[in-house]
């Protein structure tokens, strides 16, 4: 394809998303699998994008895919366009929920089952019988992102939270060490952070705010030493599997003893581990929206 200007109408948003994913993967098979389309369909769409833009975006060989200079220049712009439209859709959906009186309530781990959560939701429905609630269970990897992106309106979670998020404190409880049953320390009635210093902690994906995971891994430790991390986990089941297999340990709220009993796992008190809190969270910029104001009032009434 020679240069010479745009040869057709602008690419569609869908085509820009295909370009972004292929630009990230640089592999047709992986990109197609991520997009849930066939490789031939992806290849055809990319050729159409190139035709519409009038430039070649990728160099293709039998073994590799690489971005051209034009592709490298256009990729961040295409990503920004895709992200902007997604953000518009999320905000529009959040506003539509406000108009309809529908509240999307997120929870992480077992927060939906906790007494404080049930008390807030009971107060909310008693005070607002016409409000519609939709409960969404989210993973430890995604729950804060879902709140920031307005995929949920409020969230029952365990602080700390990133900037721009407000919370209403609901409860406080100890944290415990979650260890493999084969760990010698698992047989003790209680341990200290110093005794756990050489144990690796489970890690989470990079998108998880570090302020949150540093608190939950006590990083750095009181003596200033950094935590050593083991396998990356995304949800409670993968976390518990890694612990049971002896790959790493973690700290959890004491309620995990009852909520997440598993073969191969032991929960042990930690004498010098600060407690954790449970909270209801919302975006600060949305605090005065009617439905979010209603759940904030319900939380105060329940407390």
């Amino acid at each position: 394809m020679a240069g010479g200007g745009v040869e057709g109408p602008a690419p569609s948003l869908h085509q820009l998303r295909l370009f972004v994913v292929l630009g990230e993967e640089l592999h047709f098979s992986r990109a197609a699998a991520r997009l849930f389309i066939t490789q031939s369909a992806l290849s055809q769409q990319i050729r159409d994008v190139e035709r519409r833009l009038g430039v070649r975006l990728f160099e293709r060989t039998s073994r590799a895919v690489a971005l051209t200079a034009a592709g490298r220049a256009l990729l961040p712009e295409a990503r920004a366009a895709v992200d902007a439209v997604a953000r518009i859709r999320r905000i529009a959906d959040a506003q539509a929920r406000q108009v309809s009186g529908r509240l999307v309530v997120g929870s992480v781990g077992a927060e939906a089952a906790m007494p404080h959560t049930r008390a807030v939701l009971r107060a909310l429905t008693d005070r607002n019988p016409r409000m519609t609630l939709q409960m969404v269970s989210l993973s430890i990897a995604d729950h804060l992102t879902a709140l920031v992106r307005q995929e949920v309106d409020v969230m029952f979670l365990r602080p700390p939270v990133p900037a721009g998020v407000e919370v209403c404190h609901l409860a406080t409880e100890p944290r415990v060490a979650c260890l493999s049953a084969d760990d010698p320390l698992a047989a003790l009635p209680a341990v200290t952070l110093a005794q756990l210093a050489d144990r690796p902690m489970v890690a989470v994906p990079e998108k998880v705010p570090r302020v949150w995971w540093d608190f939950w891994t006590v990083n750095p430790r009181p003596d200033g030493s950094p935590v050593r991390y083991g396998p990356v986990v995304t949800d409670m089941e993968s976390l518990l599997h890694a612990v049971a297999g002896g790959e790493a340990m973690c700290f959890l709220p004491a309620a995990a003893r009852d909520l997440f009993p598993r073969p191969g796992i032991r929960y042990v008190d930690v004498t010098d581990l600060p407690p954790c809190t449970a909270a209801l969270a919302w975006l600060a910029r949305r605090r005065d929206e009617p439905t979010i104001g209603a759940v904030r009032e319900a939380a105060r009434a329940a407390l």
Side-chain angles (χ1 to χ4, degrees), residues 80-195:
V82 171
D83 289 345
V85 173
R87 190 160 54 249
I88 290 170
R89 286 175 173 167
R90 288 194 296 267
I91 294 172
D93 183 59
Q95 292 302 309
R97 294 199 298 268
Q98 293 292 321
V99 173
S100 66
R102 181 168 63 95
L103 188 77
V104 179
V105 181
S107 68
V108 62
E111 289 305 295
M114 299 300 289
H116 48 261
T117 300
R118 298 199 305 271
V120 172
L121 294 179
R122 185 165 54 248
L124 179 63
T125 54
D126 287 347
R127 296 160 66 94
N128 303 273
R130 295 185 179 179
M131 183 178 289
T132 302
L133 301 186
Q134 178 185 348
M135 297 296 298
V136 178
S137 179
L138 294 157
S139 72
I140 57 178
D142 295 327
H143 72 292
L144 290 169
T145 300
L147 181 62
V148 171
R149 290 183 174 179
Q150 300 186 43
E151 293 165 7
V152 299
D153 298 309
V154 295
M155 173 79 67
F156 289 96
L157 47 63
R158 298 284 175 151
V161 295
V165 177
E166 295 180 344
V167 299
C168 173
H169 174 264
L170 300 175
T172 301
E173 69 176 301
R175 283 184 287 173
V176 295
C178 180
L179 298 168
S180 166
D182 295 330
D183 190 311
L185 295 180
L188 300 178
V191 296
T192 65
L193 287 171
Q195 287 176 289

Side-chain angles (χ1 to χ4, degrees), residues 163-232:
V165 177
E166 295 180 344
V167 299
C168 173
H169 174 264
L170 300 175
T172 301
E173 69 176 301
R175 283 184 287 173
V176 295
C178 180
L179 298 168
S180 166
D182 295 330
D183 190 311
L185 295 180
L188 300 178
V191 296
T192 65
L193 287 171
Q195 287 176 289
L196 298 167
D198 63 343
R199 267 63 173 181
M201 304 290 293
V202 293
V204 291
E206 291 184 0
K207 64 181 177 180
V208 177
R210 298 319 305 176
V211 65
W212 186 73
W213 200 236
D214 282 346
F215 171 82
W216 281 98
T217 56
V218 194
N219 182 43
R221 293 298 163 84
D223 64 359
S225 60
V227 166
R228 182 165 60 94
Y229 289 103
V232 173

